[in-house]
Amino acid sequence: MNNKHLSLIAMICGGLGLFGWLIPVINHWFIVLPLAIAGIVVGSKAKAAALASGESTAMATAGRVMGIIGLVVVGLIVLVAVVLFVLGASKVGDLLGDLLGQLMGALQ
């Protein structure tokens, strides 16, 4: 496969891994996570191929960077979800209710 094709695939996978949360069809972590990882892996291969052939590595690097950021975002979202689950939804609901009550009281 051509290096430009690999770079384009890396950018698409990395971009979907980073911005996939905004697309209703793929906004689940189990879909976005493999896309982010694919962006990193394909971007690394494309960058190595580009360096070997003397071509530009910009698209491959962009795909890798978006994949890495997407992976971090997925990790943080899963971490927050686990913490909220461990704390219990009722405690979180009580905290949000108290905050909302204080905010409404301050506005009156």
Side-chain angles (χ1 to χ4, degrees), residues 60 67 98:
D98 291 343

Side-chain angles (χ1 to χ4, degrees), residues 5-77:
H5 292 129
L6 284 176
S7 297
L8 182 63
I9 291 170
M11 280 193 60
I12 291 171
C13 289
L16 287 174
L18 178 58
F19 299 111
W21 300 102
L22 304 174
I23 302 170
V25 176
I26 62 168
N27 65 353
H28 300 288
W29 69 269
F30 53 85
I31 296 174
V32 176
L33 180 66
L35 288 171
I37 293 171
I40 296 168
V41 171
V42 175
S44 298
K45 289 184 178 188
K47 186 170 183 175
L51 287 173
S53 65
E55 295 177 7
S56 173
T57 62
M59 286 176 47
T61 302
R64 284 179 59 195
V65 169
M66 287 191 291
I68 291 169
I69 294 172
L71 190 63
V72 169
V73 168
V74 169
L76 288 175
I77 289 173

